Amino acid sequence: MSVVTKLVNGQPAETINLADRGLQFGDGVFRTIKVMNGEPIWWARHYAKLARDCAQIGIVAPSEATLLADIEQLKPNNHTLKIMVTRGETARGYVAPADLPPNRIVQIAPLPAYSPDLATQGVTLRTSSTRASWQPALAGIKHLNRLENILARREWSDPGIFDGLMFDRDDHLIEGVMSNVLVLIDGVLCTPDLSESGVAGVCRDMTLLAAARLGIPTAVCQIRREQLSTATALWVCNSLAGLLPVVALDDWRWPVSALQRDLRTTLFAMKDE
């Protein structure tokens, strides 16, 4: 008996209708969640973010109970869980009926093979030449059209580079290709303002809460490229890799500090809050 790893609208499947708008236009949203010992990490926040993203582009989100039933059917243990919600199926053309039933795709896959040394020895980044576009209507949403990130990721093949940093047209730091960014400047843990561009990740939110628990001041603000030269620490984070210290970005270098270790330890001791 084959193991079920993919569901479409609650049914085992390996294909989707070619009329699906997620396939045609990237018309949908998604979440990527780490599952450890059968528990989706930070589930409540991921579901709330999925529901908000759906609402922002006018898609009816599946209920939490529906998605939990899908997850139970897949029985993930230590896996990557990916949930996609598309607007549904239409003929070609951008117009879609308001009452179009959405499609949901829930699937599991092995966790990425990140070395545990990354958490203690840090990661190396590069600057991406691909710019993050300005679009307030989509800012913060994890939508299915990730072409900017794909183009940015094509810029390097060196396995020693963990991620690339993306800036907007005005040279403000936005995010990593696959991560959010946090920067310690003058004792304040800063993360880029994503009200006009980028994806607001759950691990970013949780890291800000962990910093507050440690008494570290935090700020969501614009960060210009040149300000990185004055930073005393950098981190990148996402829901699969967690929070990782940055030791190199292009020609800049930073040591791994006790603060970076403490922040990661505090973050991973936290449940949904």
Side-chain angles (χ1 to χ4, degrees):
M1 182 177 178
S2 61
V3 176
V4 176
T5 60
K6 300 178 183 68
L7 301 175
V8 177
N9 297 327
Q11 299 300 314
E14 293 289 339
T15 60
I16 193 162
N17 193 308
L18 295 180
D20 183 82
R21 292 177 64 88
L23 174 64
Q24 291 194 77
F25 310 116
D27 189 1
V29 301
F30 74 103
R31 305 302 304 166
T32 305
I33 303 169
K34 187 175 186 177
V35 180
M36 294 298 296
N37 300 317
E39 179 185 359
I41 304 301
W42 302 324
W43 167 257
R45 284 183 173 266
H46 276 291
Y47 178 74
K49 186 67 169 62
L50 177 76
R52 286 196 301 271
D53 287 358
C54 281
Q56 196 162 337
I57 62 173
I59 294 176
V60 177
S63 71
E64 184 175 9
T66 295
L67 289 175
L68 287 174
D70 286 348
I71 295 167
E72 174 60 25
Q73 189 178 166
L74 293 174
K75 300 188 184 311
N77 185 22
N78 298 323
H79 286 93
T80 299
L81 170 68
K82 186 170 184 178
I83 300 171
M84 291 174 274
V85 182
T86 78
R87 196 176 302 277
E89 299 161 13
T90 63
R92 61 174 302 278
Y94 295 136
V95 176
D99 59 351
L100 190 67
N103 285 327
R104 71 182 190 278
I105 304 164
V106 181
Q107 60 187 28
I108 57 173
L111 288 167
Y114 293 132
S115 168
D117 292 341
L118 298 181
T120 56
Q121 298 179 12
V123 297
T124 296
L125 308 182
R126 73 187 298 278
T127 296
S128 171
S129 61
T130 302
R131 297 286 176 158
S133 63
W134 179 89
Q135 181 44 271
L138 296 175
I141 298 175
K142 203 161 190 176
H143 54 77
L144 288 172
N145 192 324
R146 310 314 311 164
L147 280 175
E148 288 176 12
N149 306 70
I150 291 168
L151 291 176
R153 184 59 185 86
R154 284 173 57 83
E155 292 180 19
W156 80 92
S157 57
D158 180 356
I161 303 294
F162 181 78
D163 204 0
L165 293 190
M166 299 179 70
F167 296 79
D168 68 9
R169 59 185 182 181
D170 297 318
D171 236 15
H172 294 126
L173 175 63
I174 299 299
E175 61 189 359
V177 173
M178 63 173 185
S179 62
N180 284 127
V181 188
L182 300 108
V183 185
L184 191 68
I185 301 175
D186 296 329
V188 178
L189 186 66
C190 304
T191 194
D193 179 1
L194 301 180
S195 61
E196 297 182 339
S197 186
V199 174
V202 165
C203 193
R204 170 181 179 261
D205 292 345
M206 294 297 292
T207 300
L208 293 176
L209 286 176
R213 180 168 291 185
L214 290 173
I216 303 169
T218 64
V220 177
C221 56
Q222 290 185 335
I223 303 170
R224 292 193 60 81
R225 186 192 301 262
E226 60 266 22
Q227 287 180 273
L228 297 180
S229 66
T230 68
T232 51
L234 266 75
W235 295 259
V236 289
C237 66
N238 65 38
S239 290
L240 297 182
L243 181 67
L244 300 175
V246 176
V247 293
L249 168 64
D250 299 333
D251 294 330
W252 293 323
R253 300 289 183 271
W254 296 270
V256 177
S257 67
L259 171 62
Q260 288 173 309
R261 291 191 291 270
D262 290 346
L263 189 56
R264 179 181 171 89
T265 299
T266 301
L267 171 67
F268 280 92
M270 295 170 65
K271 300 295 185 180
D272 283 332
E273 295 188 12

